[in-house]
């Protein structure tokens, strides 16, 4: 029997606020343990949490970017459970009335676009961090992360394969980063994902029994875990067995998912409205003010680049991987009017330089103006494209403008006919055999002569002029 | 009966409370009385009345995103039953 996977994803994204969701403690990552904590996030009796306005604004931004309805009113609820990383004994979350609902994102697949529904986006607080002692029966608790704002983005069960899941996650990730509301760092846990997976016989409407997957901390691991879990369930079902509804942990080293047996007791969170926090009312003016401020999103940017700059979709994809890179590219395009050429230099050289040194485009010593100037020098014939490869490397190393490097190193292209004729004459005289071959009809030898003259001129011969002159002189 | 003994034991477990058999009986009966008393409210016709979650009708109480000083590690750990170095220490929990 052929089975069809049904996947829904829950993504937790840490919001890039300076202070925590309900108190003024810093959210900075990497501080010494238990130093970013106060009465409120420690859950001391009698304290009053007050909502950080920026958390609401950022969540509205994500809601708008995923075409959600922004609810006029939302509130907070307590999710009750005991765990040592949760000092209050409850997590403040949103339950019956989330901030945003009923949206979607379009993902790009090899065979076109697909729309994945977003059920809801709600606000909640993060829990602390536990470290387990390998040798002693203790765990250690750091509560710095407690109360860091999160949004949970819940998808509809619209995803049908591990590839689709991966595409959906990348899409959410790039939107969050473009909106500058999440740093997207998966290693530090700023972007985390849980998955609900079930299989059903192809053509059947009703869903099968699902397993929940946790502990996948990279895009690659999400894809691997889902691929494994789909195979595992298929194996169970084909053997006539039943999938158990349970939480399973992805084991990266083993490449398998394990049942998390300790949580066999059904979740009973006893949600109720948090009496400490008043309702949040969001009027149209607020939403509109945020909408006006929204940046162009990556997918729209890619489509515009392909449409307006006539560059391949692949190039547009690379050039929009970050907002800063896209801005850099567009600045060069506006200065040169050469979208394809600008793209090639950025993708081929600039990105290679900065990736090698793990730098950000913002820290690139070659400004868009400097790159545009170099492209202009090629267009004007001052330097050849080949020489430019050397020039751009020097520009990156020294931060100096192209013109300075060209003058200093004597790299100006030879466009003087007399000088080139002389170089060609010398090369012809030195290679009588090849000359004879060419004149007896072996056109291929032409390339040999181009190479020789280039060598003799240290690559400075203007390629077009060299071509024209060579053709004339060899034919004689 | 509004509540049965096994529900009381279940809720007690969720709250990490341990009852003797006698206590469980006693609390079941007491909780029953409370719930039956509250049940009177169901006699009021609430058609069209939205549920109330707060005694005060205030909304949108916000703070701005400013960092204020934290307590510091020493005060944070001061009341902890067990601490080691920079951390709270708890019995090992492994999922």
């Amino acid at each position: 029997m052929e089975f069809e996977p049904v996947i829904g994803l829950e993504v937790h994204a840490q919001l890039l606020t300076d202070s925590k969701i309900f108190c003024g403690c810093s959210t900075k990552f990497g501080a010494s343990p238990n130093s970013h904590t106060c009465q409120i996030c420690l859950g001391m009796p009698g304290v009053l949490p007050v909502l950080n306005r920026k958390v609401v604004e950022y969540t509205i931004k994500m809601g708008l970017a995923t075409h959600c309805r922004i609810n006029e009113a939302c509130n907070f609820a307590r999710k009750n459970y005991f765990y040592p990383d949760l000092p209050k004994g409850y997590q403040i979350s949103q339950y019956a009335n989330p901030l945003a609902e009923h949206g979607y994102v379009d993902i790009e697949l090899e065979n076109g676009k697909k729309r994945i529904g977003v059920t809801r986006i709600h606000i909640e607080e993060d829990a602390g961090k536990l470290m387990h002692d390998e040798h002693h029966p203790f765990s250690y608790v750091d509560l710095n992360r407690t109360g860091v704002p999160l949004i949970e983005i819940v998808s509809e069960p619209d995803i049908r394969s591990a590839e689709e899941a991966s595409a959906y996650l990348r899409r959410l990730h790039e939107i969050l980063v473009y909106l500058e509301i999440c740093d997207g760092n998966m290693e530090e846990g700023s972007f985390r994902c849980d998955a609900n997976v079930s299989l059903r016989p192809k053509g059947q409407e009703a869903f099968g029994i699902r397993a929940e997957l946790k502990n996948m901390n990279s895009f690659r691991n999400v894809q691997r875990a889902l691929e494994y879990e789909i195979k595992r369930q298929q194996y169970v079902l084909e053997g006539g067995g039943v999938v158990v509804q349970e939480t399973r942990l992805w084991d990266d080293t083993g490449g398998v998912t394990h049942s998390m047996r300790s949580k066999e007791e059904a979740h009973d969170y006893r949600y109720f409205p948090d009496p400490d926090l008043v309702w949040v009312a969001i009027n149209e003016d607020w939403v509109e003010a945020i909408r006006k401020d929204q940046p162009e999103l990556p997918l729209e940017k890619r489509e515009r680049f392909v449409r307006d700059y006539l560059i391949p979709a692949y190039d547009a994809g690379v050039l929009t991987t970050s907002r800063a890179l896209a801005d850099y590219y567009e600045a060069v395009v506006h200065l040169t009017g050469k979208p394809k050429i600008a793209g090639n230099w950025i993708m081929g050289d600039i990105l290679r330089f900065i990736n090698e040194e793990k730098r950000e485009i913002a820290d690139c010593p070659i400004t868009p103006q400097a790159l545009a100037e170099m492209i202009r020098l090629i267009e004007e014939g001052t330097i050849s494209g080949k020489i430019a490869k050397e020039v751009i490397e020097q520009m990156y190393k020294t931060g100096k403008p192209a013109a300075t490097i060209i003058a200093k190193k004597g790299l100006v292209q030879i466009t003087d006919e007399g000088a080139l004729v002389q170089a060609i004459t010398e090369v012809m005289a030195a290679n009588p055999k090849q000359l004879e071959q060419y004149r007896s009809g072996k056109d291929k030898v032409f390339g040999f002569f181009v190479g020789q003259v280039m060598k003799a001129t240290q690559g400075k011969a203007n390629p077009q002029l060299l071509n024209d002159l060579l053709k004339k002189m060899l034919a004689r | 009966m509004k509540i049965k003994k096994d529900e009381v034991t279940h809720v007690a477990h969720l709250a990490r409370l341990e009852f003797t058999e006698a206590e469980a009986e006693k609390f079941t009966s007491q909780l029953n009385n409370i719930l039956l008393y509250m049940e009177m409210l169901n006699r009021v016709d609430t058609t069209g009345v939205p549920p109330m979650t707060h005694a005060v009708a205030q909304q949108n109480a916000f703070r701005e995103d400013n960092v204020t000083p934290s307590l510091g590690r020493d005060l944070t750990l001061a009341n902890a039953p067990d601490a080691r170095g920079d951390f709270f220490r708890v019995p090992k929990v492994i999922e």
Side-chain angles (χ1 to χ4, degrees):
Chain A
M1 190 187 296
E2 204 182 335
F3 290 101
E4 176 184 55
V6 176
I7 302 166
L9 296 177
E10 289 167 12
V11 168
H12 286 91
Q14 252 178 31
L15 297 179
L16 264 181
T17 54
D18 293 328
S19 66
K20 290 187 179 181
I21 181 169
F22 298 122
C23 65
C25 287
S26 168
T27 55
K28 218 179 182 113
F29 184 83
S32 73
N34 293 304
S35 63
H36 289 168
T37 45
C38 73
Q39 295 91 327
I40 293 172
C41 55
L42 290 170
M44 300 288 179
V47 297
L48 189 68
V50 184
L51 180 58
N52 186 336
R53 184 195 302 270
K54 203 160 244 175
V55 170
V56 179
E57 284 170 7
Y58 282 2
T59 313
I60 296 174
K61 270 177 167 289
M62 191 56 184
L64 290 175
T66 53
H67 311 94
C68 281
R69 187 182 84 198
I70 308 298
N71 289 327
E72 281 168 33
C74 63
N75 73 341
F76 289 89
R78 293 185 180 179
K79 178 179 179 178
N80 300 280
Y81 66 95
F82 285 108
Y83 214 66
D85 63 9
L86 189 73
K88 294 195 296 297
Y90 58 85
Q91 180 195 29
I92 304 177
S93 181
Q94 294 193 299
Y95 187 57
N97 307 290
L99 187 142
E101 287 176 284
H102 312 305
Y104 65 86
V105 295
D106 288 330
I107 59 169
E108 291 163 301
L109 301 165
E110 267 177 31
N111 49 357
K113 276 198 214 172
K114 175 169 173 173
R115 184 158 289 185
I116 307 293
V118 170
T119 314
R120 57 189 267 148
I121 301 177
H122 70 250
I123 302 170
E124 59 187 33
E125 57 177 350
D126 209 343
K129 215 175 185 169
L130 281 168
M131 273 141 282
H132 308 294
D133 193 318
E134 301 261 321
H135 309 288
H136 304 95
F138 296 114
S139 295
Y140 297 90
V141 193
D142 173 8
L143 297 179
N144 282 347
R145 204 176 63 183
T146 306
V148 167
L150 295 177
I151 50 176
E152 180 173 333
I153 305 155
V154 183
S155 86
E156 289 289 307
D158 291 343
I159 297 162
R160 293 288 170 269
S161 69
E163 294 75 46
E164 286 183 22
S166 179
Y168 169 79
L169 283 180
R170 282 170 206 278
R171 185 95 185 88
L172 282 190
H173 187 268
E174 67 176 6
I175 292 173
L176 286 162
V177 174
Y178 255 72
L179 292 173
E180 291 169 350
I181 60 172
C182 173
D183 67 19
N185 190 325
M186 290 180 92
E187 275 165 31
E188 289 175 8
S190 311
F191 184 88
R192 319 196 275 267
C193 165
D194 299 334
N196 288 304
V197 195
S198 65
L199 295 189
R200 65 181 172 193
K202 206 152 195 174
Q204 179 184 300
E205 184 100 6
F207 294 152
I209 299 164
R210 68 190 158 87
E212 190 186 358
L213 299 188
K214 285 180 182 285
N215 200 35
M216 307 164 289
N217 56 358
S218 70
F219 291 121
R220 202 174 93 84
N221 277 344
V222 171
Q223 184 149 352
R224 286 173 70 208
L226 285 170
E227 278 165 2
Y228 174 86
E229 184 59 21
I230 290 165
K231 271 195 204 136
R232 187 191 69 87
Q233 291 189 15
Q234 187 163 352
Y235 182 77
V236 169
L237 293 171
E238 279 172 350
V242 191
V243 173
V244 180
Q245 181 163 351
E246 61 180 353
T247 302
R248 299 180 68 87
L249 292 183
W250 168 248
D251 167 10
D252 186 23
T253 16
V256 293
T257 62
H258 289 302
S259 175
M260 208 171 103
R261 290 184 205 285
S262 66
K263 278 204 176 168
E264 267 167 27
E265 188 161 4
H267 291 173
D268 188 352
Y269 292 128
R270 295 147 295 142
Y271 285 95
F272 65 89
D274 192 316
D276 285 343
L277 290 155
V278 298
W279 280 77
V280 177
I282 300 167
N283 60 26
E284 243 172 77
D285 292 349
W286 195 1
V287 176
E288 281 317 306
I290 290 171
R291 196 194 301 273
K292 261 193 222 138
D293 226 29
Q294 289 279 90
E296 184 181 33
L297 295 172
L299 183 63
E300 284 80 69
K301 213 186 259 297
R302 276 198 288 281
E303 287 174 346
R304 180 169 62 81
F305 279 14
V306 171
R307 192 174 64 236
D308 293 358
Y309 301 144
L310 305 169
I311 55 173
Y314 174 82
D315 293 15
V318 175
L319 293 166
T320 53
T321 40
S322 80
R323 235 167 108 178
L325 179 64
D327 290 347
Y328 184 100
Y329 168 69
E330 284 207 277
V332 181
V333 170
H334 290 149
L335 290 164
T336 58
K338 305 275 176 201
K340 178 66 188 159
I341 290 168
N344 286 346
W345 283 105
I346 292 171
M347 294 195 299
D349 299 83
I350 303 275
L351 282 183
R352 184 165 52 84
F353 298 151
I354 63 169
N355 289 344
E356 269 169 15
E357 295 186 29
K358 293 204 159 56
R359 274 171 119 160
E360 296 294 324
I361 187 76
D363 307 323
C364 179
I366 304 175
T367 61
Q369 289 73 21
L371 179 59
E373 178 61 15
M374 190 203 78
I375 292 172
R376 195 180 59 81
L377 290 170
I378 305 169
E379 295 295 315
E380 285 176 353
T382 308
I383 51 170
S384 65
K386 192 153 165 269
I387 290 289
K389 284 272 180 197
E390 201 181 320
V391 172
I392 198 171
E393 200 156 337
Q394 288 304 316
M395 287 169 73
Y396 185 78
K397 279 189 189 143
T398 63
K400 293 202 170 103
T404 312
I405 291 161
I406 292 163
K408 204 173 135 204
K409 299 215 154 195
L411 296 172
V412 176
Q413 194 163 238
I414 302 170
T415 45
D416 171 22
E417 240 189 83
L420 271 187
V421 166
Q422 193 185 336
I424 294 170
T425 315
E426 281 165 21
V427 166
M428 282 166 63
N431 300 285
K433 222 171 86 190
Q434 283 82 356
L435 184 61
E436 201 180 311
Q437 285 175 353
Y438 182 81
R439 290 194 169 149
S440 64
K442 277 200 179 159
D443 289 352
K444 272 190 204 153
V445 192
F446 188 75
F448 167 80
F449 283 102
V450 174
Q452 289 301 309
V453 179
M454 274 298 184
K455 208 168 135 195
T457 58
Q458 285 113 46
K460 288 184 286 187
N462 176 305
Q464 193 53 51
L465 185 61
L466 170 61
N467 229 30
D468 296 345
L469 285 174
L470 249 186
K471 261 187 196 149
K472 262 191 244 159
M473 291 171 67
L474 288 175
R476 244 180 257 151
Chain B
M1 286 289 268
K2 288 301 290 177
I3 189 166
K4 291 191 217 82
K5 201 177 90 186
D6 55 352
E7 288 172 282
V8 173
T9 348
H10 172 64
V11 174
H13 173 70
L14 289 172
R16 300 295 183 269
L17 294 173
E18 224 172 313
F19 296 154
T20 62
E21 196 62 18
E23 282 171 331
E25 298 281 356
K26 187 170 132 197
F27 294 143
T28 307
S29 130
Q30 288 181 344
L31 281 169
N32 237 322
N33 289 338
I34 295 168
L35 291 170
L36 282 171
Y37 179 67
M38 296 305 287
E39 181 83 349
M40 273 199 289
L41 289 173
N42 282 344
R43 290 188 218 151
V44 184
D45 181 8
T46 54
T47 323
V49 181
M52 189 176 102
T53 51
H54 288 80
V56 282
Q58 207 198 331
Q59 57 187 32
N60 291 356
F62 296 122
R63 43 173 284 273
E64 298 307 317
D65 184 28
N66 299 320
V67 174
T68 53
S70 294
L71 273 184
R73 182 202 64 180
D74 292 346
L75 275 174
T76 293
L77 299 178
N79 291 337
D82 191 8
R84 179 63 65 92
D86 287 345
F87 297 95
F88 294 89
R89 189 164 75 165
V90 297
K92 197 167 194 169
V93 276
I94 293 245
E95 287 188 335

